[in-house]
Amino acid sequence: MPVETVFSSDLSRRQASEARFHDAWAEEVDFTQIDPAIAFEAETALENRLILKRIGSMQGLRILDLGCGAGEAAVYFAQHGAHVSACDISPRFVEIARQLAERHGVTLRLDVCPAERLPYEDGAFDVIYANGVLHHVEIPAAMPEIRRVMAEGGRGFFIEPLPYNPLINLYRWIAREVRTPDERPLGRADCRAIARVFPKMRIDYVWFFTLLVFVYFFVVERASTAERYWKKILYQADRYAWLFRPLQALDEALLPRLPMLGLLCWNMVIQVTRPPAR
């Protein structure tokens, strides 16, 4: 299916800046080196493993991969029987997603568009998935649009960073070259804004003690901050299992008992549901 595009002249300053940044990032990506399964099945893919458990069978589901990037999630969902649409503000990333889908023999609908203006019919999707997207968009504009294209009883799963851990904020300050000028982690006010659109909302926090793996990258291995640490921990999960596993065991034991630690985690998984009509 041909890629549909929202013309760049229709984008806001912020959206155009995001598109340029991600187009430049896409130029560094070799789609032949992408394994969609790793993003969901690696031991260190904590957020996606949780989401897979919540979704259950994907056979026949209509899924939107919002802010699809290189298309790993979209391809993975399609491989497991879903009818998948994927969109991104970056034309170059959408092209990579197309190439990745062809490489893996799956069919996707692909669109270039901002999250604040989606080219889909009302109630088009059973599941909407977004990994690291909401902190790049205008939430008051994007969330009603997400709700509009979600079917009644549909669910949304959003993986987002938190702003409260000083260690992570130090890394963000050092690694400014891998971040866009306008992005910002989601705080409690943002979550309240999401809850106003989706009152039925659940948040799970991940990566507290396990963040020490990234400290190991920086302090012991002296890994460059230009290297995306999240990608390193996914694609080299076996190499760091000796360190990750005991730290994850601590997270599993303590985070449920000390919920305030959740705000100091790296990421959260936000799950929302659009209630059925009465």
Side-chain angles (χ1 to χ4, degrees), residues 25 29-31 33-40 48 58 65 67-80 84 86 88 93 96-98 100-101 104 106 108 110 129 131 230-231 234-235:
W25 177 5
V29 175
D30 179 358
F31 76 92
Q33 300 302 306
I34 296 173
D35 183 350
I38 286 177
F40 285 86
N48 280 333
M58 287 181 273
D65 183 4
C68 65
E72 300 101 314
V75 169
Y76 187 84
F77 297 151
Q79 288 174 325
H80 288 76
V84 182
D88 201 282
F93 261 129
I96 290 173
R98 183 190 65 77
L100 188 69
H104 289 273
V106 299
L108 307 176
L110 293 164
Y129 167 92
N131 187 348
W230 61 264
K231 184 174 181 180
L234 283 176
Y235 276 79

mmCIF file of all heavy atoms in Angstrom, residues 25 29-31 33-40 48 58 65 67-80 84 86 88 93 96-98 100-101 104 106 108 110 129 131 230-231 234-235:
data_model
loop_
_atom_site.group_PDB
_atom_site.id
_atom_site.type_symbol
_atom_site.label_atom_id
_atom_site.label_comp_id
_atom_site.label_asym_id
_atom_site.label_seq_id
_atom_site.Cartn_x
_atom_site.Cartn_y
_atom_site.Cartn_z
ATOM 1 N N TRP A 25 18.298 10.780 12.272
ATOM 2 C CA TRP A 25 18.575 9.537 13.004
ATOM 3 C C TRP A 25 18.362 8.343 12.082
ATOM 4 O O TRP A 25 19.168 7.398 12.061
ATOM 5 C CB TRP A 25 17.671 9.476 14.228
ATOM 6 C CG TRP A 25 17.762 8.233 15.053
ATOM 7 C CD1 TRP A 25 18.635 7.187 14.897
ATOM 8 C CD2 TRP A 25 16.945 7.899 16.181
ATOM 9 N NE1 TRP A 25 18.403 6.221 15.853
ATOM 10 C CE2 TRP A 25 17.386 6.627 16.655
ATOM 11 C CE3 TRP A 25 15.889 8.546 16.828
ATOM 12 C CZ2 TRP A 25 16.785 6.002 17.753
ATOM 13 C CZ3 TRP A 25 15.308 7.921 17.920
ATOM 14 C CH2 TRP A 25 15.748 6.668 18.368
ATOM 15 N N VAL A 29 20.354 4.219 10.460
ATOM 16 C CA VAL A 29 19.749 2.913 10.744
ATOM 17 C C VAL A 29 19.897 1.992 9.541
ATOM 18 O O VAL A 29 19.575 2.357 8.408
ATOM 19 C CB VAL A 29 18.254 3.077 11.103
ATOM 20 C CG1 VAL A 29 17.594 1.705 11.277
ATOM 21 C CG2 VAL A 29 18.117 3.905 12.384
ATOM 22 N N ASP A 30 20.387 0.776 9.798
ATOM 23 C CA ASP A 30 20.457 -0.278 8.787
ATOM 24 C C ASP A 30 19.344 -1.277 9.090
ATOM 25 O O ASP A 30 19.431 -2.045 10.049
ATOM 26 C CB ASP A 30 21.819 -0.953 8.838
ATOM 27 C CG ASP A 30 21.968 -2.087 7.819
ATOM 28 O OD1 ASP A 30 20.990 -2.375 7.087
ATOM 29 O OD2 ASP A 30 23.051 -2.697 7.759
ATOM 30 N N PHE A 31 18.290 -1.264 8.275
ATOM 31 C CA PHE A 31 17.131 -2.105 8.586
ATOM 32 C C PHE A 31 17.463 -3.588 8.527
ATOM 33 O O PHE A 31 16.771 -4.414 9.132
ATOM 34 C CB PHE A 31 15.958 -1.772 7.658
ATOM 35 C CG PHE A 31 16.080 -2.308 6.258
ATOM 36 C CD1 PHE A 31 15.563 -3.545 5.914
ATOM 37 C CD2 PHE A 31 16.723 -1.562 5.281
ATOM 38 C CE1 PHE A 31 15.677 -4.039 4.630
ATOM 39 C CE2 PHE A 31 16.836 -2.045 3.989
ATOM 40 C CZ PHE A 31 16.317 -3.286 3.666
ATOM 41 N N GLN A 33 19.795 -4.985 9.987
ATOM 42 C CA GLN A 33 20.324 -5.384 11.291
ATOM 43 C C GLN A 33 19.260 -5.378 12.380
ATOM 44 O O GLN A 33 19.571 -5.628 13.548
ATOM 45 C CB GLN A 33 21.478 -4.446 11.690
ATOM 46 C CG GLN A 33 22.634 -4.442 10.717
ATOM 47 C CD GLN A 33 23.230 -5.828 10.517
ATOM 48 O OE1 GLN A 33 23.605 -6.487 11.498
ATOM 49 N NE2 GLN A 33 23.327 -6.271 9.277
ATOM 50 N N ILE A 34 18.011 -5.108 12.012
ATOM 51 C CA ILE A 34 16.930 -5.023 12.991
ATOM 52 C C ILE A 34 16.246 -6.373 13.130
ATOM 53 O O ILE A 34 15.849 -6.982 12.127
ATOM 54 C CB ILE A 34 15.893 -3.957 12.570
ATOM 55 C CG1 ILE A 34 16.544 -2.572 12.567
ATOM 56 C CG2 ILE A 34 14.687 -3.982 13.513
ATOM 57 C CD1 ILE A 34 15.637 -1.486 12.007
ATOM 58 N N ASP A 35 16.101 -6.841 14.349
ATOM 59 C CA ASP A 35 15.366 -8.069 14.645
ATOM 60 C C ASP A 35 14.148 -7.703 15.486
ATOM 61 O O ASP A 35 14.273 -7.412 16.676
ATOM 62 C CB ASP A 35 16.262 -9.051 15.401
ATOM 63 C CG ASP A 35 15.575 -10.385 15.671
ATOM 64 O OD1 ASP A 35 14.350 -10.483 15.451
ATOM 65 O OD2 ASP A 35 16.264 -11.323 16.112
ATOM 66 N N PRO A 36 12.954 -7.681 14.870
ATOM 67 C CA PRO A 36 11.769 -7.259 15.631
ATOM 68 C C PRO A 36 11.524 -8.081 16.892
ATOM 69 O O PRO A 36 11.006 -7.548 17.894
ATOM 70 C CB PRO A 36 10.627 -7.437 14.625
ATOM 71 C CG PRO A 36 11.282 -7.307 13.285
ATOM 72 C CD PRO A 36 12.633 -7.936 13.453
ATOM 73 N N ALA A 37 11.878 -9.348 16.883
ATOM 74 C CA ALA A 37 11.608 -10.192 18.042
ATOM 75 C C ALA A 37 12.396 -9.736 19.267
ATOM 76 O O ALA A 37 11.910 -9.854 20.405
ATOM 77 C CB ALA A 37 11.931 -11.648 17.716
ATOM 78 N N ILE A 38 13.604 -9.213 19.060
ATOM 79 C CA ILE A 38 14.427 -8.815 20.196
ATOM 80 C C ILE A 38 13.730 -7.744 21.027
ATOM 81 O O ILE A 38 13.773 -7.759 22.263
ATOM 82 C CB ILE A 38 15.810 -8.332 19.704
ATOM 83 C CG1 ILE A 38 16.665 -9.528 19.271
ATOM 84 C CG2 ILE A 38 16.532 -7.539 20.794
ATOM 85 C CD1 ILE A 38 18.010 -9.162 18.715
ATOM 86 N N ALA A 39 13.073 -6.804 20.367
ATOM 87 C CA ALA A 39 12.422 -5.704 21.078
ATOM 88 C C ALA A 39 11.295 -6.171 21.985
ATOM 89 O O ALA A 39 10.882 -5.443 22.895
ATOM 90 C CB ALA A 39 11.897 -4.683 20.072
ATOM 91 N N PHE A 40 10.790 -7.392 21.762
ATOM 92 C CA PHE A 40 9.670 -7.891 22.562
ATOM 93 C C PHE A 40 10.010 -9.139 23.368
ATOM 94 O O PHE A 40 9.322 -9.433 24.342
ATOM 95 C CB PHE A 40 8.473 -8.181 21.651
ATOM 96 C CG PHE A 40 7.771 -6.947 21.200
ATOM 97 C CD1 PHE A 40 8.211 -6.266 20.077
ATOM 98 C CD2 PHE A 40 6.703 -6.438 21.911
ATOM 99 C CE1 PHE A 40 7.581 -5.095 19.667
ATOM 100 C CE2 PHE A 40 6.073 -5.272 21.508
ATOM 101 C CZ PHE A 40 6.517 -4.598 20.381
ATOM 102 N N ASN A 48 7.921 -4.082 26.927
ATOM 103 C CA ASN A 48 7.205 -4.796 25.875
ATOM 104 C C ASN A 48 6.750 -6.180 26.324
ATOM 105 O O ASN A 48 5.676 -6.654 25.909
ATOM 106 C CB ASN A 48 8.064 -4.896 24.621
ATOM 107 C CG ASN A 48 8.034 -3.617 23.816
ATOM 108 O OD1 ASN A 48 7.076 -2.855 23.868
ATOM 109 N ND2 ASN A 48 9.093 -3.359 23.065
ATOM 110 N N MET A 58 -2.903 -11.642 19.610
ATOM 111 C CA MET A 58 -3.041 -10.525 18.675
ATOM 112 C C MET A 58 -3.761 -10.929 17.402
ATOM 113 O O MET A 58 -3.998 -10.091 16.525
ATOM 114 C CB MET A 58 -1.653 -9.972 18.337
ATOM 115 C CG MET A 58 -1.029 -9.189 19.465
ATOM 116 S SD MET A 58 0.590 -8.529 19.033
ATOM 117 C CE MET A 58 1.634 -9.917 19.471
ATOM 118 N N ASP A 65 0.573 1.195 15.438
ATOM 119 C CA ASP A 65 1.877 1.498 16.017
ATOM 120 C C ASP A 65 2.112 2.987 15.787
ATOM 121 O O ASP A 65 2.478 3.418 14.695
ATOM 122 C CB ASP A 65 2.959 0.644 15.350
ATOM 123 C CG ASP A 65 4.337 0.864 15.950
ATOM 124 O OD1 ASP A 65 4.451 1.617 16.938
ATOM 125 O OD2 ASP A 65 5.316 0.291 15.426
ATOM 126 N N GLY A 67 3.944 6.429 16.051
ATOM 127 C CA GLY A 67 5.352 6.801 16.166
ATOM 128 C C GLY A 67 6.218 5.577 15.980
ATOM 129 O O GLY A 67 7.039 5.232 16.826
ATOM 130 N N CYS A 68 6.043 4.914 14.837
ATOM 131 C CA CYS A 68 6.569 3.552 14.653
ATOM 132 C C CYS A 68 8.075 3.469 14.516
ATOM 133 O O CYS A 68 8.649 2.389 14.645
ATOM 134 C CB CYS A 68 5.922 2.910 13.426
ATOM 135 S SG CYS A 68 6.325 3.729 11.845
ATOM 136 N N GLY A 69 8.761 4.598 14.254
ATOM 137 C CA GLY A 69 10.196 4.505 14.051
ATOM 138 C C GLY A 69 10.531 3.541 12.934
ATOM 139 O O GLY A 69 9.927 3.568 11.858
ATOM 140 N N ALA A 70 11.483 2.656 13.197
ATOM 141 C CA ALA A 70 11.924 1.708 12.174
ATOM 142 C C ALA A 70 10.947 0.567 11.943
ATOM 143 O O ALA A 70 11.163 -0.256 11.053
ATOM 144 C CB ALA A 70 13.299 1.150 12.551
ATOM 145 N N GLY A 71 9.890 0.486 12.748
ATOM 146 C CA GLY A 71 8.836 -0.477 12.476
ATOM 147 C C GLY A 71 8.957 -1.812 13.163
ATOM 148 O O GLY A 71 8.221 -2.747 12.832
ATOM 149 N N GLU A 72 9.854 -1.939 14.144
ATOM 150 C CA GLU A 72 10.011 -3.238 14.806
ATOM 151 C C GLU A 72 8.705 -3.744 15.402
ATOM 152 O O GLU A 72 8.325 -4.898 15.223
ATOM 153 C CB GLU A 72 11.060 -3.152 15.929
ATOM 154 C CG GLU A 72 12.442 -2.758 15.486
ATOM 155 C CD GLU A 72 12.723 -1.304 15.774
ATOM 156 O OE1 GLU A 72 11.842 -0.466 15.481
ATOM 157 O OE2 GLU A 72 13.825 -1.001 16.277
ATOM 158 N N ALA A 73 8.002 -2.862 16.134
ATOM 159 C CA ALA A 73 6.762 -3.288 16.788
ATOM 160 C C ALA A 73 5.699 -3.622 15.759
ATOM 161 O O ALA A 73 4.995 -4.635 15.884
ATOM 162 C CB ALA A 73 6.268 -2.198 17.737
ATOM 163 N N ALA A 74 5.556 -2.783 14.741
ATOM 164 C CA ALA A 74 4.540 -3.019 13.723
ATOM 165 C C ALA A 74 4.748 -4.361 13.040
ATOM 166 O O ALA A 74 3.802 -5.136 12.839
ATOM 167 C CB ALA A 74 4.559 -1.891 12.695
ATOM 168 N N VAL A 75 5.988 -4.654 12.694
ATOM 169 C CA VAL A 75 6.291 -5.933 12.039
ATOM 170 C C VAL A 75 6.020 -7.087 12.994
ATOM 171 O O VAL A 75 5.429 -8.103 12.607
ATOM 172 C CB VAL A 75 7.750 -5.945 11.543
ATOM 173 C CG1 VAL A 75 8.166 -7.357 11.111
ATOM 174 C CG2 VAL A 75 7.914 -4.973 10.366
ATOM 175 N N TYR A 76 6.413 -6.947 14.249
ATOM 176 C CA TYR A 76 6.196 -8.014 15.229
ATOM 177 C C TYR A 76 4.715 -8.297 15.403
ATOM 178 O O TYR A 76 4.284 -9.455 15.416
ATOM 179 C CB TYR A 76 6.829 -7.627 16.566
ATOM 180 C CG TYR A 76 6.799 -8.731 17.599
ATOM 181 C CD1 TYR A 76 7.786 -9.720 17.614
ATOM 182 C CD2 TYR A 76 5.791 -8.789 18.555
ATOM 183 C CE1 TYR A 76 7.768 -10.731 18.571
ATOM 184 C CE2 TYR A 76 5.760 -9.797 19.499
ATOM 185 C CZ TYR A 76 6.746 -10.769 19.505
ATOM 186 O OH TYR A 76 6.713 -11.782 20.442
ATOM 187 N N PHE A 77 3.910 -7.247 15.519
ATOM 188 C CA PHE A 77 2.469 -7.439 15.668
ATOM 189 C C PHE A 77 1.885 -8.151 14.444
ATOM 190 O O PHE A 77 1.043 -9.047 14.570
ATOM 191 C CB PHE A 77 1.766 -6.099 15.866
ATOM 192 C CG PHE A 77 2.152 -5.362 17.117
ATOM 193 C CD1 PHE A 77 2.107 -3.969 17.164
ATOM 194 C CD2 PHE A 77 2.555 -6.039 18.256
ATOM 195 C CE1 PHE A 77 2.458 -3.284 18.313
ATOM 196 C CE2 PHE A 77 2.913 -5.364 19.417
ATOM 197 C CZ PHE A 77 2.858 -3.977 19.437
ATOM 198 N N ALA A 78 2.312 -7.734 13.250
ATOM 199 C CA ALA A 78 1.805 -8.358 12.029
ATOM 200 C C ALA A 78 2.218 -9.820 11.941
ATOM 201 O O ALA A 78 1.450 -10.674 11.478
ATOM 202 C CB ALA A 78 2.306 -7.590 10.809
ATOM 203 N N GLN A 79 3.431 -10.126 12.396
ATOM 204 C CA GLN A 79 3.886 -11.519 12.394
ATOM 205 C C GLN A 79 3.023 -12.394 13.290
ATOM 206 O O GLN A 79 2.969 -13.611 13.103
ATOM 207 C CB GLN A 79 5.348 -11.593 12.856
ATOM 208 C CG GLN A 79 6.344 -11.063 11.841
ATOM 209 C CD GLN A 79 7.759 -11.024 12.396
ATOM 210 O OE1 GLN A 79 7.970 -10.753 13.581
ATOM 211 N NE2 GLN A 79 8.735 -11.300 11.552
ATOM 212 N N HIS A 80 2.362 -11.780 14.260
ATOM 213 C CA HIS A 80 1.537 -12.526 15.203
ATOM 214 C C HIS A 80 0.045 -12.376 14.914
ATOM 215 O O HIS A 80 -0.789 -12.572 15.806
ATOM 216 C CB HIS A 80 1.878 -12.105 16.632
ATOM 217 C CG HIS A 80 3.212 -12.618 17.083
ATOM 218 N ND1 HIS A 80 4.411 -12.058 16.671
ATOM 219 C CD2 HIS A 80 3.558 -13.677 17.876
ATOM 220 C CE1 HIS A 80 5.422 -12.727 17.213
ATOM 221 N NE2 HIS A 80 4.926 -13.704 17.940
ATOM 222 N N VAL A 84 -2.176 -4.386 10.974
ATOM 223 C CA VAL A 84 -1.368 -3.330 11.569
ATOM 224 C C VAL A 84 -1.263 -2.110 10.655
ATOM 225 O O VAL A 84 -0.969 -2.220 9.462
ATOM 226 C CB VAL A 84 0.052 -3.834 11.888
ATOM 227 C CG1 VAL A 84 0.873 -2.730 12.566
ATOM 228 C CG2 VAL A 84 -0.014 -5.066 12.792
ATOM 229 N N ALA A 86 0.832 1.667 10.809
ATOM 230 C CA ALA A 86 1.963 2.282 11.493
ATOM 231 C C ALA A 86 2.170 3.678 10.926
ATOM 232 O O ALA A 86 2.051 3.891 9.720
ATOM 233 C CB ALA A 86 3.229 1.445 11.315
ATOM 234 N N ASP A 88 4.446 7.616 11.503
ATOM 235 C CA ASP A 88 5.522 8.361 12.151
ATOM 236 C C ASP A 88 5.598 9.728 11.502
ATOM 237 O O ASP A 88 5.188 9.908 10.354
ATOM 238 C CB ASP A 88 6.859 7.629 12.005
ATOM 239 C CG ASP A 88 7.875 8.066 13.047
ATOM 240 O OD1 ASP A 88 8.477 9.145 12.885
ATOM 241 O OD2 ASP A 88 8.057 7.338 14.040
ATOM 242 N N PHE A 93 11.948 7.343 8.493
ATOM 243 C CA PHE A 93 11.680 6.174 9.332
ATOM 244 C C PHE A 93 10.526 5.352 8.755
ATOM 245 O O PHE A 93 10.541 4.121 8.821
ATOM 246 C CB PHE A 93 11.377 6.589 10.768
ATOM 247 C CG PHE A 93 12.560 6.454 11.690
ATOM 248 C CD1 PHE A 93 12.952 7.513 12.495
ATOM 249 C CD2 PHE A 93 13.291 5.275 11.754
ATOM 250 C CE1 PHE A 93 14.045 7.397 13.348
ATOM 251 C CE2 PHE A 93 14.386 5.143 12.598
ATOM 252 C CZ PHE A 93 14.771 6.214 13.391
ATOM 253 N N ILE A 96 11.933 3.161 6.182
ATOM 254 C CA ILE A 96 12.640 2.020 6.779
ATOM 255 C C ILE A 96 11.639 0.974 7.256
ATOM 256 O O ILE A 96 11.855 -0.234 7.075
ATOM 257 C CB ILE A 96 13.546 2.499 7.932
ATOM 258 C CG1 ILE A 96 14.725 3.302 7.372
ATOM 259 C CG2 ILE A 96 14.063 1.309 8.749
ATOM 260 C CD1 ILE A 96 15.573 3.959 8.437
ATOM 261 N N ALA A 97 10.536 1.415 7.859
ATOM 262 C CA ALA A 97 9.499 0.474 8.296
ATOM 263 C C ALA A 97 8.937 -0.302 7.104
ATOM 264 O O ALA A 97 8.666 -1.507 7.211
ATOM 265 C CB ALA A 97 8.384 1.227 9.024
ATOM 266 N N ARG A 98 8.777 0.374 5.985
ATOM 267 C CA ARG A 98 8.303 -0.317 4.777
ATOM 268 C C ARG A 98 9.300 -1.389 4.344
ATOM 269 O O ARG A 98 8.926 -2.523 4.017
ATOM 270 C CB ARG A 98 8.083 0.682 3.648
ATOM 271 C CG ARG A 98 7.518 0.064 2.358
ATOM 272 C CD ARG A 98 7.549 1.030 1.202
ATOM 273 N NE ARG A 98 8.906 1.378 0.815
ATOM 274 C CZ ARG A 98 9.710 0.569 0.105
ATOM 275 N NH1 ARG A 98 9.276 -0.627 -0.291
ATOM 276 N NH2 ARG A 98 10.921 0.949 -0.200
ATOM 277 N N LEU A 100 11.535 -2.885 6.216
ATOM 278 C CA LEU A 100 11.579 -3.950 7.216
ATOM 279 C C LEU A 100 10.398 -4.891 7.043
ATOM 280 O O LEU A 100 10.550 -6.114 7.163
ATOM 281 C CB LEU A 100 11.583 -3.346 8.620
ATOM 282 C CG LEU A 100 11.817 -4.333 9.773
ATOM 283 C CD1 LEU A 100 13.241 -4.864 9.743
ATOM 284 C CD2 LEU A 100 11.536 -3.661 11.128
ATOM 285 N N ALA A 101 9.217 -4.330 6.774
ATOM 286 C CA ALA A 101 8.042 -5.169 6.554
ATOM 287 C C ALA A 101 8.235 -6.069 5.333
ATOM 288 O O ALA A 101 7.893 -7.263 5.373
ATOM 289 C CB ALA A 101 6.808 -4.288 6.379
ATOM 290 N N HIS A 104 10.485 -8.995 6.090
ATOM 291 C CA HIS A 104 9.899 -10.038 6.932
ATOM 292 C C HIS A 104 8.586 -10.580 6.374
ATOM 293 O O HIS A 104 7.913 -11.383 7.038
ATOM 294 C CB HIS A 104 9.702 -9.510 8.352
ATOM 295 C CG HIS A 104 10.999 -9.332 9.102
ATOM 296 N ND1 HIS A 104 11.578 -10.354 9.822
ATOM 297 C CD2 HIS A 104 11.832 -8.265 9.215
ATOM 298 C CE1 HIS A 104 12.707 -9.918 10.358
ATOM 299 N NE2 HIS A 104 12.887 -8.655 10.015
ATOM 300 N N VAL A 106 5.582 -9.197 5.709
ATOM 301 C CA VAL A 106 4.294 -8.811 6.283
ATOM 302 C C VAL A 106 3.792 -7.540 5.609
ATOM 303 O O VAL A 106 4.559 -6.786 5.006
ATOM 304 C CB VAL A 106 4.374 -8.595 7.813
ATOM 305 C CG1 VAL A 106 4.790 -9.882 8.512
ATOM 306 C CG2 VAL A 106 5.338 -7.457 8.155
ATOM 307 N N LEU A 108 1.827 -3.884 5.982
ATOM 308 C CA LEU A 108 1.449 -2.801 6.892
ATOM 309 C C LEU A 108 0.801 -1.683 6.091
ATOM 310 O O LEU A 108 1.157 -1.449 4.936
ATOM 311 C CB LEU A 108 2.687 -2.216 7.588
ATOM 312 C CG LEU A 108 3.636 -3.151 8.328
ATOM 313 C CD1 LEU A 108 4.834 -2.353 8.841
ATOM 314 C CD2 LEU A 108 2.937 -3.846 9.475
ATOM 315 N N LEU A 110 1.069 2.209 6.042
ATOM 316 C CA LEU A 110 2.062 3.146 6.538
ATOM 317 C C LEU A 110 1.644 4.572 6.203
ATOM 318 O O LEU A 110 1.207 4.859 5.082
ATOM 319 C CB LEU A 110 3.428 2.847 5.929
ATOM 320 C CG LEU A 110 4.059 1.515 6.365
ATOM 321 C CD1 LEU A 110 5.180 1.124 5.433
ATOM 322 C CD2 LEU A 110 4.562 1.626 7.800
ATOM 323 N N TYR A 129 -0.501 1.354 20.270
ATOM 324 C CA TYR A 129 0.791 1.152 20.943
ATOM 325 C C TYR A 129 1.718 2.298 20.569
ATOM 326 O O TYR A 129 1.783 2.696 19.394
ATOM 327 C CB TYR A 129 1.385 -0.186 20.500
ATOM 328 C CG TYR A 129 2.845 -0.396 20.854
ATOM 329 C CD1 TYR A 129 3.197 -1.021 22.042
ATOM 330 C CD2 TYR A 129 3.852 0.001 19.990
ATOM 331 C CE1 TYR A 129 4.537 -1.236 22.363
ATOM 332 C CE2 TYR A 129 5.194 -0.207 20.304
ATOM 333 C CZ TYR A 129 5.535 -0.823 21.484
ATOM 334 O OH TYR A 129 6.856 -1.033 21.794
ATOM 335 N N ASN A 131 5.750 3.651 21.737
ATOM 336 C CA ASN A 131 6.953 3.479 22.558
ATOM 337 C C ASN A 131 7.793 4.751 22.480
ATOM 338 O O ASN A 131 8.388 5.062 21.453
ATOM 339 C CB ASN A 131 7.768 2.282 22.059
ATOM 340 C CG ASN A 131 8.944 1.967 22.976
ATOM 341 O OD1 ASN A 131 9.293 2.754 23.863
ATOM 342 N ND2 ASN A 131 9.559 0.819 22.772
ATOM 343 N N TRP A 230 19.613 2.116 25.589
ATOM 344 C CA TRP A 230 18.451 1.224 25.546
ATOM 345 C C TRP A 230 18.612 0.170 24.453
ATOM 346 O O TRP A 230 18.165 -0.964 24.611
ATOM 347 C CB TRP A 230 17.171 2.019 25.349
ATOM 348 C CG TRP A 230 17.106 2.815 24.068
ATOM 349 C CD1 TRP A 230 17.418 4.138 23.899
ATOM 350 C CD2 TRP A 230 16.731 2.338 22.771
ATOM 351 N NE1 TRP A 230 17.261 4.508 22.588
ATOM 352 C CE2 TRP A 230 16.829 3.430 21.873
ATOM 353 C CE3 TRP A 230 16.316 1.093 22.293
ATOM 354 C CZ2 TRP A 230 16.543 3.320 20.521
ATOM 355 C CZ3 TRP A 230 16.020 0.976 20.930
ATOM 356 C CH2 TRP A 230 16.138 2.084 20.056
ATOM 357 N N LYS A 231 19.250 0.549 23.351
ATOM 358 C CA LYS A 231 19.466 -0.411 22.272
ATOM 359 C C LYS A 231 20.549 -1.415 22.659
ATOM 360 O O LYS A 231 20.447 -2.616 22.380
ATOM 361 C CB LYS A 231 19.849 0.320 20.989
ATOM 362 C CG LYS A 231 19.999 -0.582 19.786
ATOM 363 C CD LYS A 231 20.237 0.224 18.523
ATOM 364 C CE LYS A 231 20.354 -0.687 17.311
ATOM 365 N NZ LYS A 231 20.599 0.099 16.068
ATOM 366 N N LEU A 234 19.170 -4.143 24.913
ATOM 367 C CA LEU A 234 18.299 -5.089 24.213
ATOM 368 C C LEU A 234 19.099 -6.073 23.375
ATOM 369 O O LEU A 234 18.920 -7.295 23.467
ATOM 370 C CB LEU A 234 17.307 -4.340 23.314
ATOM 371 C CG LEU A 234 16.118 -3.674 23.979
ATOM 372 C CD1 LEU A 234 15.305 -2.905 22.941
ATOM 373 C CD2 LEU A 234 15.236 -4.696 24.683
ATOM 374 N N TYR A 235 19.978 -5.549 22.553
ATOM 375 C CA TYR A 235 20.675 -6.389 21.584
ATOM 376 C C TYR A 235 21.841 -7.158 22.202
ATOM 377 O O TYR A 235 22.355 -8.089 21.580
ATOM 378 C CB TYR A 235 21.147 -5.548 20.394
ATOM 379 C CG TYR A 235 20.065 -5.356 19.358
ATOM 380 C CD1 TYR A 235 19.051 -4.420 19.552
ATOM 381 C CD2 TYR A 235 20.012 -6.136 18.212
ATOM 382 C CE1 TYR A 235 18.034 -4.257 18.622
ATOM 383 C CE2 TYR A 235 19.009 -5.984 17.274
ATOM 384 C CZ TYR A 235 18.024 -5.041 17.481
ATOM 385 O OH TYR A 235 17.022 -4.892 16.553
#
